[in-house]
Amino acid sequence: MRRGGIHRQLLVAGVIPAVVVTIVVSTWLIGLRVADLGAHQRRLGQVVASQLAPAAEYGVFSGNTEVLRRLADAALVEADLRAVTIRDRNGMVLAAAGKAAAPDGDSSPVAAWLASHFVDPGATAVFRAPVVQPTTDLGEFDLPGDDYGIAEIGSVEIEIALLPAFARQLDVILTGISLALAGLLASLFLARRLGDRIGEPVRRLANAMRRAQDGDLGVRVAESSKNELGLLESGLNRMADEIQRTQRTLEDRIERATHDLQQTIAALEISNVELDLARKRALEASHLKSEFLAAMSHEIRTPMSGIIGFTNLLGRTKLDPAQRDHVLTIQKSAETLMRILNDVLDLSRIEAGKLALADAPLNMRECIDDVLSLLAPLAYAKGLDLRRGVSREVPTVLRGDAARIQQVLTNLVGNAIKYTPDGSVTVEVTLHPHSLSGHTAIRVAVIDTGIGIAVPVQRLLFQAFAQASPSTADYPGTGLGLVIANKLVEAMGGEISLESEPGEGSCFGVVLNLRDADGCAADARWRGRRVLVCDEDPLTRDHLAQLVEAQGACVDAVATPPRSVTQDAMVFSTARADPEWQRVVTTACAGRTPVVLANTHDPIEMRAISLPRCGTVPSFYRALDALLGVANGTPPTPTASLGELRLLVVEDNRINRVLLVQQLEALGAAVVDQCATGEEALTRAAVVHYDAALIDLQMPGIDGLETARRLHAVAPGTLVLAVTANVLASRDPAPRASGIVHVLVKPVDEQRLTALLVDARKRCAAARTALDALDPAVRTIFREDFPAQVAAFRRAIAAGDDEAVAIAVHDLAGTAGACQLRALADALEAVRSRAEPDAVARVICETTALQAALVKDRNG
């Protein structure tokens, strides 16, 4: 401890009281002594003067100066008297005596010396006493003349030297100060000794604590005291002993723990090496699995494409009933096999984390109707009633992946239909109470009256290849549907729940958090119209009423057909359109045509009704548009005619090549040429201009991607579509970089293929119209600059260079704006804002159509 600590505090505590007391007492005593000396001097002068005055009465009265001189000399015996003067009443000196100033023998030399420097040695204090007339009879000594009888006849003056008295006062002051200083020094000495006795042990304790704090646990303090300080010293020593024992114990434990940790680290290093090897093996296995699935998809889909395609072509020919049944059996078997293959591929894609979810506006009511319209034939064939309803609180438009939601619902509703021998299957959509910010939580419940599921089986349902019934003969399937549905729902941030009892049916609940969509203006094409909606089922009735109200019409919803109808249009919906119900409806309509909905897909029964009870929303709207005389503006379904299109099929598999050629010819294509290799296709395209080319991605020699890249250089105006049996390749970004607009998965959907080719033909016609409207000089500049700009755009896309893409888009946008090419400008803006996932494909379609128009314009 520093000496400025407790030692200084003890020193200050001991000295300050002594200093204060000494100063106060010394000041009081010195002041008292000095005052006494001053009073003594004043009393001396007054006493001497008052005693000498009576003795001088006779001498003054008689004028005897000799007597008065002897009195004056006798008075000078006092040491402090300097002079004595006796005067008469007129002030005349009758006698005087004096002596020289002498040093005061009672004071110290220091005091005398100091006094001689502060006081004039000749300074005196004068004391006067009157000499009065004697009161006794003096006989013959009478006062002279007229003065007889005056009381004061003279005076005595005594002069006392001030220097001796002041010297004595200084001597008292110096003595007092000396005594005070001596007392202070004694107090300081005692306080210091006390501070050393108390502070030194404390300092030793503090130093020991500092050393212990610095890690020196061997420090000890000598126990030199028996009081409280001794207790502190012994306590510190015991504490140091305990800490040292604890440290040794901890060191032993740390040493053991370090040894164990080193062994654990060694084991972990071995485990990490094993895990790394296992990870590499797992990655290699996953890669091999992906390659196997891709190969399996290609190898299975390639022959399946031929089977399904040629079966469809065969179904269009004239067949007897037995042959048609055989064809339908082949089609169903092929579709079942494709469904199983798709389930396996979906599960693999989900497990690999390559599932991409779309974020686009969706209408839950249309999603439900689209799913049920696909599955309605299965339900109606078993005599089941399909019911659906969406709560009015559910927003019309939300954002999410409609295709994946429909995939989940298709699986759940399909399972409900499969495991329900009779009764109904109901789909209800309601709001869920727990919604995230900016999202709307909905619950989709699929309820059936089927066989139910036991609790032990429920735990196995969401495992791969598990089924609710062990009898696959009665309920065929792979057992992958619920697994895929569950993983899809989890990927969308939702969950699936199940409530079921054997023989009581089941209820699968799906909770989804869908993003809120921006407000969309409601279509009010039926505003001011009144529509009657009649259905005995309240859920279906409210669902149909919501669909009609969404178009601005007023709805009168009833459970049974009324006697007469006054509304602008009528919708009669029923589970079974028996003759009695038909008679009531005919009577109520009074010759007017209603929209009749019933649970049937039978061609014969369909003649008496308008639509199935569970149909698509567009078909329902078109039926009401026809009754209300409103043009719905819905584009017509592409017809099976491709006009004058010249097409090229590039496929190494002969069966698939012939199939595609026959399908395109059946769809009305003018010319369909075929090639088995990419080299042959490039040779043909250099000579003949083709409107579109269908290229297989996996071919020997030059594959489909390289063929597409070279084809754009040889024939820049040819629209390139890819055909592949590999589902994984259909989601690969590489085809876009090669200039391929769309990737079609085998077996090729004829409607999808027709729509793409018809759209290409329309784009080409619009491009030719836009070029014809250009000024000849502008068209010449456009013909010179546009191909280079398109080539730069495709190179940037292939390289994945965002900066180069932005520059190419800027150049193309300038050309599109200058030439009033609205469709191309919109597609380029979508690429720039990244608002659409297929914006690049739109740009490729528009630029290909313009290049095709340039080719035809050049060829005249």
Side-chain angles (χ1 to χ4, degrees):
M1 172 180 282
R2 294 177 303 171
R3 297 187 63 85
I6 190 170
H7 186 274
R8 177 178 295 177
Q9 294 177 10
L10 290 173
L11 187 63
V12 171
V15 171
I16 287 180
V19 170
V20 173
V21 171
T22 301
I23 291 175
V24 171
V25 173
S26 299
T27 302
W28 178 71
L29 291 176
I30 291 172
L32 185 62
R33 180 60 178 158
V34 169
D36 288 344
L37 290 175
H40 170 72
Q41 188 180 37
R42 288 191 297 274
R43 283 195 301 272
L44 177 63
Q46 292 173 355
V47 168
V48 171
S50 60
Q51 290 178 352
L52 189 59
E57 287 179 359
Y58 176 76
V60 172
F61 177 77
S62 61
N64 189 346
T65 59
E66 184 64 27
V67 173
L68 292 177
R69 189 168 44 252
R70 286 197 300 270
L71 284 174
D73 292 337
L76 291 177
V77 176
E78 289 292 335
D80 291 343
L81 266 66
R82 179 70 55 80
V84 177
T85 303
I86 301 175
R87 300 178 185 274
D88 61 10
R89 65 178 182 177
N90 295 322
M92 294 181 60
V93 176
L94 298 178
K99 62 181 178 181
D104 185 13
D106 296 335
S107 60
S108 63
V110 176
W113 182 80
L114 289 174
S116 64
H117 283 75
F118 288 98
V119 178
D120 184 5
T124 60
V126 178
F127 296 91
R128 180 179 178 278
V131 178
V132 299
Q133 184 178 351
T135 58
T136 59
D137 187 10
L138 297 177
E140 67 273 15
F141 297 100
D142 294 331
L143 292 172
D146 297 333
D147 295 330
Y148 185 79
I150 297 175
E152 183 176 344
I153 59 176
S155 62
V156 177
E157 293 180 358
I158 302 299
E159 293 184 18
I160 296 178
L162 295 179
L163 181 61
F166 187 70
R168 286 193 293 273
Q169 288 177 340
L170 285 178
D171 189 52
V172 169
I173 291 173
L174 291 175
T175 303
I177 291 174
S178 299
L179 292 175
L181 289 176
L184 289 177
L185 291 175
S187 300
L188 180 61
F189 175 76
L190 293 175
R192 186 177 183 84
R193 289 295 302 273
L194 180 63
D196 289 340
R197 291 191 62 184
I198 298 176
E200 185 62 24
V202 173
R203 185 179 63 81
R204 290 199 303 271
L205 287 172
N207 290 333
M209 289 295 295
R210 185 181 298 107
R211 290 172 59 188
Q213 183 179 359
D214 293 338
D216 183 8
L217 298 180
V219 63
R220 296 295 183 272
V221 179
E223 299 180 12
S224 58
S225 304
K226 302 298 183 181
N227 49 21
E228 289 82 357
L229 290 175
L231 293 177
L232 287 176
E233 292 168 348
S234 62
L236 177 63
N237 293 334
R238 287 195 299 271
M239 181 182 69
D241 292 337
E242 185 64 27
I243 293 176
Q244 200 167 23
R245 285 194 298 271
T246 303
Q247 186 185 34
R248 285 196 294 268
T249 302
L250 289 176
E251 288 176 352
D252 293 339
R253 292 180 180 178
I254 291 173
E255 185 176 359
R256 290 195 299 269
T258 303
H259 178 70
D260 295 341
L261 182 60
Q262 288 174 347
Q263 292 181 340
T264 304
I265 291 174
L268 285 176
E269 290 177 351
I270 296 174
S271 299
N272 287 336
V273 172
E274 294 176 350
L275 287 175
D276 187 57
L277 293 176
R279 176 178 174 274
K280 291 180 179 178
R281 287 194 295 267
L283 290 176
E284 183 179 0
S286 177
H287 180 67
L288 293 176
K289 176 184 173 183
S290 299
E291 290 184 351
F292 168 74
L293 289 174
M296 184 185 71
S297 172
H298 183 268
E299 295 302 326
I300 294 179
R301 284 180 179 274
T302 297
M304 287 301 301
S305 177
I307 294 172
I308 294 175
F310 280 109
T311 303
N312 291 335
L313 292 177
L314 182 60
R316 296 173 187 171
T317 62
K318 294 180 180 181
L319 302 173
D320 57 39
Q323 291 173 334
R324 189 167 299 279
D325 287 341
H326 296 332
V327 170
L328 292 176
T329 301
I330 296 172
Q331 286 179 333
K332 290 181 179 179
S333 300
E335 290 171 357
T336 301
L337 182 58
M338 290 301 299
R339 186 164 55 252
I340 294 173
L341 180 61
N342 290 334
D343 286 345
V344 173
L345 292 175
D346 280 342
L347 181 62
S348 175
R349 189 180 301 112
I350 293 172
E351 291 178 347
K354 295 182 179 179
L355 180 67
L357 296 175
D359 181 20
L362 63 90
N363 187 317
M364 280 304 301
R365 293 164 179 82
E366 293 186 4
C367 285
I368 299 297
D369 281 6
D370 288 345
V371 171
L372 295 184
S373 66
L374 292 175
L375 299 175
L378 299 176
Y380 296 158
K382 298 178 66 172
L384 302 178
D385 185 18
L386 283 183
R387 304 171 62 243
R388 80 278 197 200
V390 181
S391 172
R392 291 180 176 269
E393 297 176 348
V394 176
T396 302
V397 182
L398 295 168
R399 294 189 68 86
D401 194 330
R404 293 302 181 182
I405 294 175
Q406 288 179 342
Q407 183 178 353
V408 172
L409 295 180
T410 300
N411 181 274
L412 296 180
V413 176
N415 284 343
I417 294 173
K418 180 167 59 173
Y419 292 104
T420 303
D422 55 52
S424 65
V425 175
T426 304
V427 179
E428 289 188 73
V429 183
T430 57
L431 281 182
H432 194 267
H434 304 294
S435 297
L436 301 176
S437 177
H439 291 70
T440 298
I442 63 171
R443 182 178 186 271
V444 183
V446 179
I447 308 166
D448 65 65
T449 58
I451 62 175
I453 306 171
V455 175
V457 180
Q458 292 180 21
R459 293 191 291 266
L460 303 175
L461 280 182
F462 297 102
Q463 297 180 10
F465 307 107
Q467 292 181 274
S469 172
S471 177
T472 57
D474 296 333
Y475 304 103
T478 61
L480 293 176
L482 283 178
V483 177
I484 295 172
N486 185 41
K487 291 184 179 295
L488 287 175
V489 171
E490 290 178 351
M492 290 185 285
E495 60 180 0
I496 294 182
S497 60
L498 169 61
E499 298 176 7
S500 181
E501 290 291 339
E504 300 294 332
S506 305
C507 175
F508 283 87
V510 179
V511 177
L512 296 173
N513 274 296
L514 301 178
R515 289 181 56 209
D516 297 334
D518 297 334
C520 301
D523 192 352
R525 65 191 186 208
W526 299 339
R527 187 179 301 279
R529 305 296 184 91
R530 297 189 66 84
V531 178
L532 173 70
V533 174
C534 176
D535 195 303
E536 59 186 355
D537 176 41
L539 201 63
T540 304
R541 183 171 63 248
D542 183 66
H543 183 75
L544 294 174
Q546 289 186 53
L547 294 180
V548 176
E549 290 172 355
Q551 302 301 318
C554 296
V555 177
D556 297 321
V558 297
T560 58
R563 292 182 178 273
S564 61
V565 177
T566 59
Q567 287 81 2
D568 298 314
M570 300 149 289
V571 178
F572 291 99
S573 175
T574 183
R576 178 63 62 183
D578 54 28
E580 179 61 25
W581 183 83
Q582 291 179 356
R583 186 187 62 78
V584 174
V585 170
T586 303
T587 302
C589 293
R592 299 172 60 190
T593 303
V595 174
V596 180
L597 310 177
N599 289 352
T600 182
H601 264 272
D602 184 81
I604 298 176
E605 295 180 354
M606 287 291 292
R607 297 173 184 174
I609 66 173
S610 305
L611 295 168
R613 197 178 184 198
C614 286
T616 62
V617 174
S619 62
F620 177 67
Y621 283 167
R622 284 196 296 270
L624 275 176
D625 282 335
L627 294 183
L628 295 172
V630 177
N632 56 26
T634 303
T637 303
T639 60
S641 176
L642 302 181
E644 300 178 353
L645 290 180
R646 180 182 290 271
L647 306 176
L648 176 64
V649 175
V650 186
E651 168 69 67
D652 63 316
N653 185 280
R654 181 173 178 272
I655 296 176
N656 285 328
R657 185 169 67 249
V658 173
L659 173 62
L660 283 174
V661 171
Q662 293 186 9
Q663 285 178 329
L664 293 172
E665 289 177 346
L667 294 174
V671 177
V672 181
D673 292 337
Q674 53 182 301
C675 298
T677 63
E679 293 87 346
E680 184 181 354
L682 294 174
T683 301
R684 282 180 175 269
V687 179
V688 180
H689 173 73
Y690 292 99
D691 296 299
L694 280 72
I695 303 176
D696 185 20
L697 289 181
Q698 292 180 321
M699 294 186 300
I702 302 178
D703 64 4
L705 297 179
E706 184 61 26
T707 301
R709 279 193 290 269
R710 295 188 186 184
L711 186 61
H712 280 299
V714 174
T718 301
L719 181 72
V720 180
L721 302 177
V723 179
T724 182
N726 186 355
V727 177
L728 301 179
S730 66
R731 294 171 173 82
D732 196 326
R736 290 286 187 273
S738 299
I740 296 174
V741 180
H742 296 285
V743 178
L744 302 174
V745 179
K746 299 176 184 179
V748 176
D749 186 346
E750 291 184 0
Q751 292 185 351
R752 173 67 170 163
L753 176 59
T754 303
L756 292 175
L757 294 176
V758 169
D759 180 69
R761 185 177 62 182
K762 290 180 179 180
R763 291 179 189 273
C764 289
R768 285 196 298 271
T769 302
L771 289 181
D772 291 341
L774 292 178
D775 181 84
V778 176
R779 184 163 52 186
T780 300
I781 298 174
F782 179 81
R783 185 184 299 111
E784 294 174 354
D785 295 344
F786 186 70
Q789 293 175 345
V790 173
F793 174 77
R794 289 178 177 170
R795 284 195 303 270
I797 293 295
D801 188 344
D802 292 340
E803 184 177 355
V805 170
I807 295 173
V809 167
H810 175 75
D811 293 341
L812 281 173
T815 301
C819 298
Q820 299 296 315
L821 303 175
R822 187 71 261 169
L824 177 58
D826 291 343
L828 291 169
E829 180 60 30
V831 172
R832 181 181 297 165
S833 62
R834 299 183 180 180
E836 299 179 16
D838 291 335
V840 173
R842 283 181 57 194
V843 173
I844 294 175
C845 287
E846 294 296 337
T847 55
T848 302
L850 288 168
Q851 287 180 315
L854 287 175
V855 171
K856 292 187 177 181
D857 183 58
R858 184 176 62 249
N859 295 336

